[in-house]
Amino acid sequence: MRSTLVSLAAFALLAALPAWAQTSTISPDRIDAVIKSAFPNAPEDFKSRLLPDATMKDCTAHANNPPPAIAEAIQKSEAATIQYPPDGKFLGDWRKGEALAQSGYGLRFSDYPPTRANGGNCYACHQLTRQELSYGTVGPSLLEYGKLRDFKAEDAKTVYEKIYDPHVALACSLMPRFGSNKVLTIDQIKDIVALLMSPDSPVNK
Amino acid sequence: MKPRRMLLAAACIALILPFAAPAQDETEKGLEKYRQMLKEDPWSNPGFLDADRGETLWMTPRGPKNVSLEACDLGKGPGRVDGAFAELPRYFADADRVMDVETRVLWCMATLQGFSREQLTTKPHPAGGQPVKEIGAIATFIASKSNGLAFAAPLGPKEKEMAALGEALFVRRSGPFDFACATCHAEEGRRIRLQGLPVLAQPEAARKVVGEWPGYRVSASHVMTMQHRLYDCYWQMRMPELEFGSEASVALVAYLVKQAQGGPISAPGLKR
């Protein structure tokens, strides 16, 4: 009974999917093969980048708008990937966080061998401070983020989780999984949390 | 050509170059003014120097076989360049592949002139400030010979399959940042930092920009081809180096051109 309801719901959602998601005539195997031959000189440790993991497969298949059952499954499995700071503290140094938010360095093929730490490149997609006018709008403005939340401790934890793995809050977020994909370290994420959540951070001035 | 005018153009462009990111709005205004100037005098676009270089490369006997490219069939018969770009990418029976302009020029240089395919596809794109490579210059020449025409790529079964493959690649997420092309090019009014993102998933937006490629890229002061643009977008996606002329690169071009079907060609365009 329950499973009939779920599959009915899934069916209804499937009908609402954009045309390409249903009618793509290209088999997944063909796509994977085409991708492999598009990057013949990929270094050994880049090869895993060519294939999507289960979450990315689901998000692509559903045009980033999965039916509730799949969304829930994604959120659950992504939540299990989050590692929390061993000292239980979520706020690092906002000054370092600002530098990380500015830096787009890291993981591009021209960034090897690495000469410095990866950045978070938050400004590429978000407004964060009034001083920085060169910000993108793929994500919402984060201006006064902590102030608007009264600097509550539980929000610092939520922000940590959002940066570590944005798919927990939104199954097919467009934002990178900075922690789960090992782009940023736990300490770097704490520094960025401080940028958003410290009363003395320029984000909240 | 008119070298005096080219110098003047280069000076104008240097003046509108951004000095700092917040000057971007000013840069856009400057670019717009410059685009207007170009409409009045299209020859002042420095990209036409590369189109000229491409024309010379096309006509000169070269390579181990010492022949020109005038026997190269771009789809409208050997040596016919006028209007050929407007009908690319298309299926070529001799190569048994769908090809875009750059892939076709590569094929002709390898099979007709005897150049090494491997040499042509190693480091195929120029670094900032360096002129576009030979294939790119020839592609710029070919594209400019379709100016004023609308994209009308044939849509037979092979070309259709290629565009569908390109669409599948456009929405496919992978890599350490989980990006797809659609992450940045599927929603209206979005920017990365201050750079506007054309909504290539929508025909109206695609028609406006796809016909400007190859384009003279002011910030790098060279002509950039479409394959180079895609290589750069995959770089931003933290993917490996996109192989020049790979099926994926042709499929993405086929998809973009299908989106831009009916839109005008004005190459080389002028890009940020």
Side-chain angles (χ1 to χ4, degrees), chain A residues 30 32 38-39 49-50 52 56 60 64 102 104 106-110 123-124 134-138 173 177 181, chain B residues 161 165 168 171-176 178 189-194 231 235 238-243 247-248:
Chain A
R30 167 133 162 82
D32 290 346
F39 303 102
R49 301 184 182 191
L50 303 182
M56 284 310 120
T60 300
N64 297 322
Q102 290 281 2
L107 303 176
R108 299 180 179 119
F109 55 72
S110 55
Y123 280 107
S134 172
Y135 60 85
T137 58
V138 176
S173 172
R177 291 173 282 183
N181 277 354
Chain B
E161 202 257 358
L165 176 61
V171 298
R172 182 180 188 276
R173 301 180 67 170
S174 78
D178 300 324
R190 298 285 190 264
R191 313 190 306 243
I192 288 282
R193 288 274 184 165
L194 289 175
Y231 172 95
W235 171 81
R238 275 70 181 174
M239 291 289 274
E241 291 186 72
L242 178 65
E243 175 82 347
E247 206 175 7

Side-chain angles (χ1 to χ4, degrees), chain B residues 164-234:
Chain B
L165 176 61
E167 179 162 25
L169 296 173
F170 191 81
V171 298
R172 182 180 188 276
R173 301 180 67 170
S174 78
F177 277 32
D178 300 324
F179 286 160
C181 313
T183 305
C184 294
H185 294 293
E187 262 188 90
E188 195 99 38
R190 298 285 190 264
R191 313 190 306 243
I192 288 282
R193 288 274 184 165
L194 289 175
Q195 293 152 36
L197 298 166
V199 193
L200 300 165
Q202 281 171 14
E204 313 84 76
R207 272 186 220 117
K208 276 195 201 129
V209 298
V210 175
E212 298 178 328
W213 296 87
Y216 184 81
R217 196 166 154 86
V218 175
S219 55
S221 40
H222 60 208
V223 163
M224 189 183 211
T225 64
M226 187 53 106
Q227 293 238 356
H228 188 182
R229 180 64 256 174
L230 299 179
Y231 172 95
D232 245 36
C233 279
Y234 271 119

Side-chain angles (χ1 to χ4, degrees), chain A residues 124-166:
Chain A
C125 297
H126 294 285
Q127 178 181 31
L128 288 125
T129 57
R130 287 185 213 286
Q131 291 91 312
E132 183 52 87
L133 300 175
S134 172
Y135 60 85
T137 58
V138 176
S141 171
L142 304 175
L143 203 58
E144 301 194 353
Y145 196 83
K147 199 170 161 187
L148 291 170
R149 287 163 180 76
D150 295 326
F151 305 110
K152 283 198 291 290
E154 72 246 42
D155 284 312
K157 179 169 180 258
T158 310
V159 171
Y160 179 89
E161 291 167 339
K162 183 72 192 175
I163 302 170
Y164 202 101
D165 192 325

Side-chain angles (χ1 to χ4, degrees), chain B residues 38-39 45 68 90 96 113 130 162 185 211 224 226 249:
Chain B
L38 285 184
K39 274 203 190 112
N45 179 343
S68 80
R90 74 189 301 150
D96 191 24
Q113 296 183 310
Q130 300 295 311
M162 216 51 181
H185 294 293
M224 189 183 211
M226 187 53 106
S249 68

